[in-house]
Amino acid sequence: MNNVVVVGAQWGDEGKGKIVDWLSYRADIVVRFQGGHNAGHTLVIDGVTYKLSLLPSGVVRPDKLSVIGNGVVVDPWHLLNEIAAIREKGVEVTPDNLLIAENCPVILPFYGVLDRAREAARGDSKIGTTGRGIGPTYEDKVARRGIRLCDFTEPEVLRTKLDYLLAHYNALLKALGAETFEPADIYAKIMEIAPKILPYVGVVWSRLEAERKAGKLMLFEGAQGALLDIDHGTYPFVTSSNTVAANAATGSGVSAKTCGRIVGICKAYTTRVGAGPFPTEDHGSDGDLLCERGHEFGTVTGRKRRCGWLDAVAVRQAVKTGGIDGIALTKLDILDAFKEVKICRAYKLNGKLIDYLPAGQQAQAAVEPVYDVCEGWDCNTRGLRSWAELPAQALKYIRRIEELIEAPVILLSTSPERDDTILMKDPFSG
């Protein structure tokens, strides 16, 4: 038996929430290891929709321990609101089934203001941030001036840090024409919320090591996708953390040997939110139909997603840089309406074929997709739960994807519902 890491293999929004929820029936512990409440996961279980941002997707299963690791940046006010919202749908969240790392960086109220002000100042060069303060929080973590949850228990340390932080940021906020903040006001807000959030806070690395020794199975849940990775993504149009599976260990405090097999989540087509290169984006009727059929609007922001054909070059690169062992392919049913479906198998750059996404910003914007055109299946695959029920053309499409990305499709999702899933190979048992 092996632990499993689940990561996105595109630009996020691949359906990780459903896949993590579905796989969590085998796991004892579900660990979120990076990102913040800029990541949205939607689960549909028996017709009930759950929208999660910070809470691990395993939280909807009452017999699992959900963990927020140190690699996650936590907005405590948002987290308590999210806990309250999911409780209204009958899901109980208590310190017995939710554990948050004491060394998680905290998203403070002024970070979102700064985030949005800086984005506005970029004019036409916007990155596409959600404006929720994720980037500034990670910046302060690296700059060694950030506030962490453990600081909530040390008031004098907290006061000193806040004075230093706001001396730094108020000058910047003022220069950007944004509101400034008083350290005493932020301190009071933290002291008010601290008693509500601290019961969930503990020593995650130690707990996970104890659970490992006890033979418990762990499922590590990433946010966003490989193409938004701060190192390996379409920089600078990326998120502020490492989204690849290697960060599962660093972001949760376990040994790299603990993480186990890696499952990449990939839509049967491609979407992207915000600015940045998107070689296979379709600006015509096919892109509109993908958006309409796939209900492609962000869980967190509500923004319309850009849509296009499956980019096998980018996914193959995600497979290689992320060590992905197998792919969970989602939203196959969205392609049911197309007579032809396309897969990008290579790029053309300056008249030459290349088989990778280059790092340079201008080069990424200039690559042109080279497509394979596959026959559509023109029948309904939504809700199918058996490989044998799939039409021959859909099977051919899946096999061509496997050839191009150099990884097997081990799981197939045919609707947002938990049970509309076809398993070809169990990642927990090999």
Side-chain angles (χ1 to χ4, degrees):
M1 303 294 286
N2 286 273
N3 298 324
V4 171
V5 181
V6 175
V7 291
Q10 295 165 304
W11 278 289
D13 307 311
E14 303 97 345
K16 291 182 293 297
K18 173 193 168 170
I19 301 303
V20 170
D21 167 61
W22 194 86
L23 289 172
S24 66
Y25 84 100
R26 296 291 304 275
D28 302 296
I29 303 164
V30 181
V31 185
R32 171 82 182 275
F33 63 83
Q34 51 79 216
H37 65 305
N38 57 337
H41 292 163
T42 301
L43 313 179
V44 181
I45 303 167
D46 297 329
V48 179
T49 299
Y50 303 89
K51 293 184 182 293
L52 308 177
S53 296
L54 268 175
L55 291 171
S57 298
V59 76
V60 297
R61 294 187 183 267
D63 57 338
K64 311 297 178 184
L65 173 64
S66 291
V67 175
I68 296 176
N70 58 274
V72 178
V73 289
V74 173
D75 181 327
W77 295 273
H78 174 90
L79 179 59
L80 290 180
N81 287 337
E82 191 173 326
I83 289 172
I86 201 168
R87 278 178 177 158
E88 289 181 359
K89 296 193 174 187
V91 177
E92 192 60 31
V93 180
T94 73
D96 291 328
N97 65 356
L98 175 65
L99 175 64
I100 310 171
E102 61 179 354
N103 48 342
C104 279
V106 176
I107 300 175
L108 298 170
F110 55 86
Y111 283 141
V113 176
L114 174 66
D115 208 357
R116 294 186 291 274
R118 290 198 300 198
E119 184 79 339
R122 291 187 178 101
D124 294 336
S125 301
K126 289 180 173 61
I127 290 174
T129 173
T130 60
R132 298 197 165 201
I134 309 300
T137 309
Y138 275 118
E139 287 175 37
D140 279 355
K141 172 184 176 179
V142 175
R144 295 167 292 183
R145 60 175 174 246
I147 304 298
R148 304 191 298 175
L149 285 172
C150 53
D151 295 326
F152 286 17
T153 66
E154 299 180 347
E156 293 307 315
V157 171
L158 180 62
R159 286 177 188 270
T160 301
K161 285 187 172 183
L162 285 172
D163 287 341
Y164 176 74
L165 264 181
L166 283 168
H168 173 81
Y169 279 119
N170 275 336
L172 181 56
L173 288 165
K174 187 175 180 179
L176 290 167
E179 65 175 306
T180 58
F181 294 80
E182 290 296 327
D185 293 340
I186 303 298
Y187 177 81
K189 289 179 182 291
I190 291 174
M191 288 296 98
E192 180 184 4
I193 202 170
K196 302 173 185 176
I197 203 78
L198 284 174
Y200 297 97
V201 175
V203 187
V204 160
W205 70 266
S206 179
R207 176 69 180 273
L208 293 181
E209 174 62 9
E211 300 289 5
R212 183 195 67 81
K213 287 183 176 179
K216 298 295 180 66
L217 282 179
M218 301 179 199
L219 182 61
F220 297 89
E221 175 185 16
Q224 288 94 27
L227 299 176
L228 292 173
D229 185 274
I230 189 69
D231 288 302
H232 302 288
T234 49
Y235 189 92
F237 304 100
V238 293
T239 193
S240 302
S241 59
N242 286 110
T243 60
V244 294
N247 197 30
T250 306
S252 55
V254 301
S255 160
K257 295 181 290 186
T258 299
C259 293
R261 291 189 177 89
I262 302 167
V263 176
I265 315 300
C266 174
K267 277 179 181 169
Y269 51 100
T270 309
T271 63
R272 176 165 200 169
V273 170
F278 185 174
T280 64
E281 184 173 10
D282 190 292
H283 297 281
S285 58
D286 286 342
D288 290 339
L289 185 57
L290 286 169
C291 183
E292 178 187 343
R293 287 181 56 81
H295 305 289
E296 295 296 351
F297 297 89
T299 301
V300 170
T301 64
R303 289 183 292 183
K304 181 180 178 180
R305 296 176 184 139
R306 301 154 63 190
C307 295
W309 299 109
L310 179 64
D311 189 338
V313 180
V315 175
R316 181 172 63 243
Q317 195 157 319
V319 167
K320 303 304 181 185
T321 58
I324 291 171
D325 296 302
I327 288 288
L329 190 68
T330 64
K331 290 198 164 185
L332 181 72
D333 56 299
I334 305 306
L335 300 181
D336 290 351
F338 292 88
K339 293 183 178 180
E340 291 182 339
V341 290
K342 298 178 183 178
I343 310 175
C344 174
R345 61 176 174 82
Y347 298 139
K348 189 175 287 186
L349 179 62
N350 299 325
K352 295 182 179 179
L353 285 179
I354 60 172
D355 61 356
Y356 65 97
L357 184 62
Q361 190 171 338
Q362 288 184 332
Q364 288 180 349
V367 294
E368 300 174 14
V370 178
Y371 287 113
D372 279 357
V373 180
C374 304
E375 183 183 357
W377 39 95
D378 196 26
C379 63
N380 183 42
T381 63
R382 185 178 178 87
L384 298 185
R385 299 182 182 182
S386 167
W387 186 256
E389 294 179 281
L390 292 170
Q393 293 87 348
L395 291 173
K396 288 180 181 178
Y397 180 67
I398 294 168
R399 293 306 185 204
R400 184 56 177 153
I401 292 172
E402 291 178 321
E403 291 172 0
L404 290 173
I405 67 174
E406 299 178 20
V409 173
I410 63 170
L411 190 149
L412 187 67
S413 171
T414 58
S415 96
E417 280 283 355
R418 172 188 280 172
D419 293 330
D420 291 341
T421 306
I422 302 170
L423 179 67
M424 281 75 82
K425 184 178 181 181
D426 187 344
F428 281 107
S429 60

